[in-house]
Amino acid sequence: MSYDPNNIFARILRGEIPCKKVFENEQVLAFHDIAPKRPVHVLVIPKGAYVSHDDFAAKATEAEIAAFTRAVGQIARDLGVAESGYRLIANAGVNGGQEVPHYHVHILGGANVGPMVSAK
Ligand code: 5GP
């Protein structure tokens, strides 16, 4: 899948759509999900144009990957969920239920996140 520069998160990165920012550095932006599923629900995105985790893993620089990984951990600590626990989710593609085609990790916490996925 090629990157769509008009996806919602690309527009947030360009400042065309507002967000409730919780973290930003040269490589990474994080903001509250517009429809939170738990008391803490933050989205962490790389600033580069990557569609999914596999796209990011294949094309991002070592520096981008390190910055993103470190930012996710830092944000979890800053949000106060590192002690009580949290879940990271990275949906990809149709079967993964990805709605926004710019790579992102959900950090969910502040309450029990529940079972991983229901069996089918
Ligand atoms: P996905 O299903 O792609 O993993 O998750 C996309 C997430 O983006 C959803 O949880 C949805 O609520 C969130 N979202 C969609 N549009 C916006 C928006 O304009 N602003 C923010 N902050 N979150 C959004």
Side-chain angles (χ1 to χ4, degrees):
M1 188 198 223
S2 63
Y3 185 79
D4 170 12
N6 288 319
N7 76 77
I8 289 169
F9 295 169
R11 298 185 65 198
I12 286 175
L13 281 169
R14 291 196 295 269
E16 296 167 9
I17 294 176
C19 71
K20 285 190 182 170
K21 184 163 70 178
V22 299
F23 177 95
E24 183 168 20
N25 67 18
E26 215 175 291
Q27 316 266 31
V28 178
L29 178 68
F31 48 89
H32 291 283
D33 196 290
I34 204 167
K37 305 289 192 300
R38 288 295 181 277
V40 172
H41 188 172
V42 163
L43 303 169
V44 188
I45 70 173
K47 289 189 173 176
Y50 305 105
V51 177
S52 61
H53 181 83
D54 55 281
D55 190 36
F56 182 67
K59 297 180 190 157
T61 64
E62 307 291 312
E64 284 176 296
I65 292 169
F68 187 78
T69 303
R70 290 195 189 283
V72 171
Q74 178 70 52
I75 294 160
R77 289 192 295 274
D78 292 349
L79 291 168
V81 297
E83 286 288 316
S84 51
Y86 60 95
R87 182 169 298 162
L88 303 181
I89 297 176
N91 297 317
V94 174
N95 284 353
Q98 183 178 11
E99 288 170 23
V100 180
H102 180 112
Y103 178 45
H104 54 280
V105 167
H106 299 249
I107 301 177
L108 289 151
N112 195 301
V113 181
M116 194 168 67
V117 285
S118 50
K120 279 220 168 153

